Amino acid sequence: MPICPFIQGDLHTGNIKFMVYEKEVNQMIPDMDDGFINMIREWRDSDFKTGLILHVGDDCKQFPRKRHQKYLNDRLKENGMNDIKLLMFSPYEDFNIAGVDTRKNAPCVLYNLAKKKDLHEANDKLKKTKWYDKLLTEDFKKLAIKKHKKLL
């Protein structure tokens, strides 16, 4: 089972813009690095459906993923990008869904960029499939997905 069938689809169709961020995470804080924000703007203004930033050269272990992800999303809002959702995937975080370690083999910290409207559309499409069938209640909680009536 692919963890995200839409990312997989974007990968196969060449619809992912790959970018590399090489500065240490503490250079993002307290003021958001213009280079990072500009990468996100460049992706947003492109025709790519998904953006994936590889954060190399820093293991980012000193910042808990959830708190850092919230910080980055707050900075996006402050920079007029309310339409973007950033998801952070850390290989240092013990995280699995439906028994699959979803971050373990990542080569570095990854920032996945998606437009919120695309995420809503993807959620609606997934509800009509069997993709959720193997997820446990705890998986829904981890992913912050409310169970759909069809799934109960």
Side-chain angles (χ1 to χ4, degrees):
M1 170 179 100
I3 296 307
C4 180
F6 297 97
I7 296 276
Q8 183 178 11
D10 288 347
L11 182 61
H12 290 300
T13 60
N15 214 356
I16 297 179
K17 180 172 181 63
F18 291 95
M19 299 160 281
V20 176
Y21 184 76
E22 298 182 87
K23 293 184 179 178
E24 291 185 20
V25 73
N26 62 9
Q27 291 179 291
M28 297 171 126
I29 298 169
D31 298 316
M32 179 56 73
D33 175 50
D34 285 341
F36 191 77
I37 287 293
N38 288 336
M39 268 191 247
I40 296 171
R41 280 191 184 112
E42 184 181 315
W43 164 76
R44 185 188 62 182
D45 295 340
S46 75
D47 291 330
F48 291 97
K49 192 162 186 106
T50 298
L52 191 65
I53 299 173
L54 289 74
H55 192 156
V56 299
D58 190 338
D59 63 16
C60 303
K61 286 181 184 177
Q62 73 244 38
F63 293 97
R65 187 224 25 106
K66 194 171 188 176
R67 191 177 81 204
H68 190 55
Q69 177 178 291
K70 182 181 178 339
Y71 169 82
L72 294 173
N73 278 296
D74 288 347
R75 299 299 78 75
L76 290 178
K77 287 176 188 173
E78 288 174 4
N79 281 275
M81 292 187 268
N82 295 358
D83 59 327
I84 305 298
K85 176 73 174 173
L86 178 146
L87 298 170
M88 181 178 169
F89 303 103
S90 173
Y92 312 106
E93 180 180 26
D94 183 25
F95 194 90
N96 76 58
I97 297 296
V100 177
D101 290 323
T102 61
R103 292 161 167 112
K104 190 175 185 176
N105 293 322
C108 58
V109 168
L110 305 171
Y111 304 105
N112 177 237
L113 305 168
K115 294 178 177 119
K116 289 181 181 177
K117 70 174 184 65
D118 291 338
L119 292 173
H120 290 294
E121 288 173 14
N123 181 45
D124 290 342
K125 286 180 184 178
L126 281 177
K127 286 177 185 175
K128 297 173 185 172
T129 71
K130 295 183 179 194
W131 191 83
Y132 290 111
D133 289 358
K134 293 185 179 181
L135 298 186
L136 303 172
T137 300
E138 65 190 53
D139 294 329
F140 283 94
K141 288 179 184 177
K142 285 181 193 174
L143 295 172
I145 297 172
K146 293 180 183 175
K147 282 191 174 182
H148 186 267
K149 290 177 189 175
K150 175 184 169 185
L151 302 173
L152 296 175

